[in-house]
Amino acid sequence: MPRDIAVIARHTCVLLARDPGTLIAYAVMSSTLMAVLHPVYQRMAGPGVSGATSAAAGTAVMFTLLALDVAGEQILAERDWHTWDRLRATPARPVSVLTGKALPLITVFLALQALLFAEAGWWYGLDLTAGTWRLPLLWLAWASCATALGLALGAWLNSRGRLGAIADITAMITTGLSGALVPLTGLPRWIGDLAPALPAYWAVRGFQAALGGRPAGTYTRAVLAITAITVIAGALAALGALRRTHRTA
Protein backbone atom coordinates (compact mmCIF):
# COMPACT_ATOMS: atom_id res chain seq x y z
CA MET A 1 0.00 0.00 0.00
CA PRO A 2 2.72 2.63 0.74
CA ARG A 3 4.20 2.00 -2.70
CA ASP A 4 0.78 2.44 -4.34
CA ILE A 5 0.31 5.72 -2.51
CA ALA A 6 3.77 6.94 -3.53
CA VAL A 7 3.18 6.13 -7.20
CA ILE A 8 -0.19 7.88 -7.28
CA ALA A 9 1.18 10.87 -5.35
CA ARG A 10 4.00 11.23 -7.86
CA HIS A 11 1.48 11.03 -10.70
CA THR A 12 -0.63 13.74 -9.03
CA CYS A 13 2.42 15.98 -8.63
CA VAL A 14 3.09 15.67 -12.36
CA LEU A 15 -0.51 16.66 -13.17
CA LEU A 16 -0.37 19.67 -10.84
CA ALA A 17 2.98 20.77 -12.25
CA ARG A 18 1.72 20.58 -15.83
CA ASP A 19 -1.08 23.04 -15.17
CA PRO A 20 -0.13 25.33 -12.26
CA GLY A 21 -1.98 28.37 -13.61
CA THR A 22 -4.95 28.20 -11.26
CA LEU A 23 -2.81 27.76 -8.16
CA ILE A 24 -0.48 30.60 -9.18
CA ALA A 25 -3.50 32.82 -9.82
CA TYR A 26 -4.92 32.05 -6.38
CA ALA A 27 -1.57 32.80 -4.72
CA VAL A 28 -1.30 36.17 -6.48
CA MET A 29 -4.94 37.11 -5.92
CA SER A 30 -4.85 36.17 -2.24
CA SER A 31 -1.72 38.26 -1.64
CA THR A 32 -3.25 41.21 -3.48
CA LEU A 33 -6.57 40.95 -1.65
CA MET A 34 -4.83 40.75 1.71
CA ALA A 35 -2.88 43.92 0.94
CA VAL A 36 -6.04 45.75 -0.17
CA LEU A 37 -8.20 44.62 2.75
CA HIS A 38 -5.64 44.87 5.54
CA PRO A 39 -6.64 48.45 6.49
CA VAL A 40 -10.28 47.30 6.67
CA TYR A 41 -9.36 44.33 8.83
CA GLN A 42 -7.30 46.65 11.03
CA ARG A 43 -10.28 48.91 11.69
CA MET A 44 -12.81 46.10 12.16
CA ALA A 45 -10.69 43.58 14.09
CA GLY A 46 -12.35 42.22 17.20
CA PRO A 47 -11.03 42.68 20.74
CA GLY A 48 -7.56 41.18 21.18
CA VAL A 49 -7.26 40.24 17.49
CA SER A 50 -4.86 42.22 15.29
CA GLY A 51 -5.79 43.33 11.80
CA ALA A 52 -2.85 41.38 10.39
CA THR A 53 -4.13 38.16 11.99
CA SER A 54 -7.62 38.68 10.59
CA ALA A 55 -6.26 39.57 7.14
CA ALA A 56 -4.00 36.51 6.93
CA ALA A 57 -6.60 34.13 8.37
CA GLY A 58 -9.46 35.45 6.25
CA THR A 59 -7.64 35.37 2.93
CA ALA A 60 -6.02 32.00 3.66
CA VAL A 61 -9.38 30.44 4.44
CA MET A 62 -11.10 32.06 1.46
CA PHE A 63 -8.60 31.05 -1.19
CA THR A 64 -8.10 27.56 0.21
CA LEU A 65 -11.84 27.05 -0.16
CA LEU A 66 -11.78 28.53 -3.66
CA ALA A 67 -9.16 25.91 -4.52
CA LEU A 68 -11.57 23.07 -3.73
CA ASP A 69 -12.13 22.62 -7.45
CA VAL A 70 -8.39 22.00 -7.89
CA ALA A 71 -8.73 19.01 -5.56
CA GLY A 72 -11.92 17.72 -7.14
CA GLU A 73 -10.37 18.13 -10.57
CA GLN A 74 -7.84 15.42 -9.75
CA ILE A 75 -10.59 12.82 -9.76
CA LEU A 76 -12.72 14.26 -12.55
CA ALA A 77 -9.69 14.54 -14.83
CA GLU A 78 -8.94 10.85 -14.38
CA ARG A 79 -12.49 10.00 -15.41
CA ASP A 80 -12.48 12.40 -18.38
CA TRP A 81 -9.21 10.90 -19.60
CA HIS A 82 -10.58 7.38 -19.01
CA THR A 83 -7.66 6.59 -16.74
CA TRP A 84 -9.77 6.10 -13.59
CA ASP A 85 -10.61 2.57 -14.67
CA ARG A 86 -6.93 1.85 -15.18
CA LEU A 87 -6.15 3.13 -11.70
CA ARG A 88 -8.84 0.94 -10.23
CA ALA A 89 -7.63 -2.06 -12.26
CA THR A 90 -4.35 -1.92 -10.35
CA PRO A 91 -3.99 -3.55 -6.91
CA ALA A 92 -4.35 -0.10 -5.33
CA ARG A 93 -7.43 0.23 -3.15
CA PRO A 94 -9.70 3.31 -3.31
CA VAL A 95 -8.27 4.57 -0.01
CA SER A 96 -4.74 4.33 -1.43
CA VAL A 97 -5.81 6.18 -4.58
CA LEU A 98 -7.43 8.97 -2.56
CA THR A 99 -4.46 9.19 -0.20
CA GLY A 100 -2.06 9.43 -3.12
CA LYS A 101 -4.21 12.20 -4.59
CA ALA A 102 -4.51 13.98 -1.25
CA LEU A 103 -0.87 14.23 -0.17
CA PRO A 104 0.33 16.61 -2.94
CA LEU A 105 -2.82 18.71 -2.55
CA ILE A 106 -2.30 19.02 1.20
CA THR A 107 1.25 20.16 0.51
CA VAL A 108 0.01 22.81 -1.94
CA PHE A 109 -2.61 24.13 0.48
CA LEU A 110 -0.02 24.18 3.26
CA ALA A 111 2.29 26.25 1.06
CA LEU A 112 -0.49 28.71 0.21
CA GLN A 113 -1.30 29.29 3.88
CA ALA A 114 2.35 29.58 4.87
CA LEU A 115 2.95 32.11 2.09
CA LEU A 116 0.08 34.35 3.19
CA PHE A 117 1.03 34.27 6.87
CA ALA A 118 4.69 34.90 5.99
CA GLU A 119 3.66 37.93 3.96
CA ALA A 120 1.54 39.18 6.86
CA GLY A 121 4.57 38.81 9.11
CA TRP A 122 6.86 40.58 6.65
CA TRP A 123 4.59 43.46 5.64
CA TYR A 124 2.32 43.98 8.64
CA GLY A 125 4.41 42.79 11.56
CA LEU A 126 2.38 39.69 12.41
CA ASP A 127 4.28 37.80 15.12
CA LEU A 128 4.31 34.26 13.76
CA THR A 129 6.46 33.03 16.64
CA ALA A 130 3.45 33.51 18.91
CA GLY A 131 1.84 30.59 17.11
CA THR A 132 4.67 28.18 18.06
CA TRP A 133 3.56 24.64 17.10
CA ARG A 134 -0.12 25.56 17.07
CA LEU A 135 -0.03 27.50 13.81
CA PRO A 136 1.66 24.81 11.63
CA LEU A 137 -0.62 22.15 13.13
CA LEU A 138 -3.69 24.18 12.20
CA TRP A 139 -2.28 24.78 8.71
CA LEU A 140 -2.04 21.01 8.32
CA ALA A 141 -5.52 20.40 9.74
CA TRP A 142 -7.13 23.01 7.50
CA ALA A 143 -5.20 21.85 4.41
CA SER A 144 -6.36 18.29 5.05
CA CYS A 145 -9.95 19.46 5.53
CA ALA A 146 -9.99 21.45 2.29
CA THR A 147 -8.44 18.53 0.42
CA ALA A 148 -10.99 16.06 1.76
CA LEU A 149 -13.86 18.38 0.87
CA GLY A 150 -12.52 18.87 -2.66
CA LEU A 151 -11.99 15.15 -3.23
CA ALA A 152 -15.50 14.43 -1.97
CA LEU A 153 -16.93 16.89 -4.50
CA GLY A 154 -14.87 15.33 -7.28
CA ALA A 155 -15.94 11.83 -6.30
CA TRP A 156 -19.66 12.58 -6.37
CA LEU A 157 -20.04 15.15 -9.16
CA ASN A 158 -20.14 14.22 -12.83
CA SER A 159 -18.78 17.26 -14.64
CA ARG A 160 -16.17 19.96 -14.27
CA GLY A 161 -18.81 22.62 -14.82
CA ARG A 162 -20.81 21.43 -11.81
CA LEU A 163 -17.66 21.09 -9.76
CA GLY A 164 -16.52 24.64 -10.52
CA ALA A 165 -19.96 26.12 -9.87
CA ILE A 166 -20.60 24.28 -6.61
CA ALA A 167 -17.06 24.79 -5.32
CA ASP A 168 -17.03 28.53 -6.05
CA ILE A 169 -20.53 29.20 -4.72
CA THR A 170 -19.88 27.13 -1.60
CA ALA A 171 -16.55 28.85 -1.01
CA MET A 172 -17.98 32.36 -1.27
CA ILE A 173 -21.05 31.64 0.88
CA THR A 174 -19.01 29.81 3.50
CA THR A 175 -16.38 32.53 3.57
CA GLY A 176 -18.95 35.29 3.91
CA LEU A 177 -20.97 33.59 6.64
CA SER A 178 -18.01 32.41 8.71
CA GLY A 179 -16.48 35.78 9.57
CA ALA A 180 -13.49 35.25 7.32
CA LEU A 181 -14.10 38.46 5.36
CA VAL A 182 -16.03 40.55 7.87
CA PRO A 183 -16.00 39.98 11.67
CA LEU A 184 -19.19 38.35 12.87
CA THR A 185 -19.76 41.31 15.20
CA GLY A 186 -20.46 43.40 12.11
CA LEU A 187 -22.95 40.93 10.62
CA PRO A 188 -26.59 40.10 11.48
CA ARG A 189 -27.06 37.96 14.56
CA TRP A 190 -28.53 35.03 12.63
CA ILE A 191 -25.26 34.68 10.72
CA GLY A 192 -23.38 34.41 14.00
CA ASP A 193 -25.74 31.64 15.09
CA LEU A 194 -25.22 29.76 11.83
CA ALA A 195 -21.45 30.24 11.56
CA PRO A 196 -20.32 27.42 13.94
CA ALA A 197 -21.76 24.90 11.49
CA LEU A 198 -19.23 25.98 8.86
CA PRO A 199 -15.64 24.67 8.68
CA ALA A 200 -14.29 28.10 7.72
CA TYR A 201 -15.59 29.54 11.00
CA TRP A 202 -13.44 27.13 12.99
CA ALA A 203 -10.43 27.73 10.78
CA VAL A 204 -10.60 31.51 11.31
CA ARG A 205 -11.11 31.20 15.05
CA GLY A 206 -8.37 28.60 15.26
CA PHE A 207 -5.86 30.86 13.52
CA GLN A 208 -6.79 33.73 15.81
CA ALA A 209 -6.48 31.52 18.88
CA ALA A 210 -3.14 30.10 17.70
CA LEU A 211 -1.70 33.61 17.55
CA GLY A 212 -3.03 34.56 20.98
CA GLY A 213 -6.13 36.49 19.97
CA ARG A 214 -8.61 34.12 21.62
CA PRO A 215 -8.74 31.79 24.67
CA ALA A 216 -6.65 28.63 24.45
CA GLY A 217 -9.75 26.43 24.59
CA THR A 218 -10.94 27.94 21.31
CA TYR A 219 -7.92 26.51 19.53
CA THR A 220 -8.61 22.99 20.79
CA ARG A 221 -12.25 23.17 19.78
CA ALA A 222 -11.27 24.48 16.35
CA VAL A 223 -8.84 21.63 15.70
CA LEU A 224 -11.36 19.04 16.86
CA ALA A 225 -14.13 20.51 14.70
CA ILE A 226 -11.92 20.70 11.60
CA THR A 227 -10.69 17.16 12.17
CA ALA A 228 -14.25 15.86 12.48
CA ILE A 229 -15.25 17.56 9.22
CA THR A 230 -12.15 16.12 7.54
CA VAL A 231 -13.05 12.59 8.62
CA ILE A 232 -16.62 12.97 7.36
CA ALA A 233 -15.52 14.47 4.04
CA GLY A 234 -12.86 11.77 3.62
CA ALA A 235 -15.45 9.07 4.23
CA LEU A 236 -17.75 10.63 1.63
CA ALA A 237 -14.86 10.77 -0.86
CA ALA A 238 -14.11 7.07 -0.24
CA LEU A 239 -17.77 6.15 -0.69
CA GLY A 240 -17.89 8.13 -3.91
CA ALA A 241 -14.79 6.37 -5.20
CA LEU A 242 -16.26 2.96 -4.35
CA ARG A 243 -19.51 3.94 -6.04
CA ARG A 244 -17.63 4.80 -9.22
CA THR A 245 -15.70 1.54 -9.01
CA HIS A 246 -18.85 -0.58 -8.65
CA ARG A 247 -20.58 1.33 -11.45
CA THR A 248 -17.73 0.66 -13.88
CA ALA A 249 -17.15 -2.94 -12.77
Side-chain angles (χ1 to χ4, degrees):
M1 185 177 292
R3 183 178 180 277
D4 296 337
I5 293 173
V7 170
I8 295 170
R10 185 166 62 249
H11 172 64
T12 304
C13 288
V14 171
L15 295 179
L16 290 172
R18 284 180 177 176
D19 188 18
T22 301
L23 293 172
I24 293 174
Y26 284 151
V28 173
M29 287 191 295
S30 59
S31 299
T32 303
L33 184 64
M34 183 172 64
V36 171
L37 293 182
H38 176 255
V40 179
Y41 283 116
Q42 192 66 43
R43 288 194 297 269
M44 299 185 66
V49 180
S50 71
T53 300
S54 296
T59 52
V61 168
M62 177 180 179
F63 281 92
T64 306
L65 287 174
L66 284 173
L68 289 181
D69 58 341
V70 176
E73 179 79 12
Q74 297 308 307
I75 293 181
L76 284 178
E78 297 284 1
R79 296 212 304 268
D80 289 347
W81 298 336
H82 304 290
T83 52
W84 178 257
D85 294 341
R86 295 182 184 180
L87 274 178
R88 292 301 303 122
T90 68
R93 298 179 179 179
V95 173
S96 298
V97 173
L98 290 175
T99 303
K101 292 288 185 184
L103 291 177
L105 292 164
I106 291 173
T107 302
V108 168
F109 292 154
L110 273 172
L112 176 61
Q113 294 176 84
L115 173 65
L116 287 170
F117 276 87
E119 290 177 0
W122 178 266
W123 294 109
Y124 311 123
L126 180 62
D127 183 13
L128 297 179
T129 60
T132 60
W133 55 269
R134 296 186 298 273
L135 189 58
L137 177 61
L138 192 58
W139 287 344
L140 177 60
W142 180 238
S144 301
C145 184
T147 298
L149 290 169
L151 290 176
L153 288 176
W156 284 93
L157 297 177
N158 295 318
S159 72
R160 298 185 183 187
R162 291 179 183 177
L163 172 64
I166 292 176
D168 290 346
I169 292 172
T170 301
M172 295 307 300
I173 292 176
T174 302
T175 301
L177 297 183
S178 65
L181 289 180
V182 179
L184 292 176
T185 53
L187 296 174
R189 183 175 178 179
W190 68 268
I191 293 180
D193 295 336
L194 176 65
L198 304 172
Y201 167 85
W202 293 108
V204 171
R205 290 177 69 87
F207 285 132
Q208 294 172 346
L211 294 169
R214 293 188 180 276
T218 302
Y219 177 84
T220 302
R221 290 193 296 273
V223 172
L224 291 175
I226 292 171
T227 301
I229 294 169
T230 303
V231 171
I232 294 171
L236 288 174
L239 287 173
L242 285 171
R243 167 174 162 268
R244 296 289 176 185
T245 300
H246 293 156
R247 178 176 292 182
T248 58

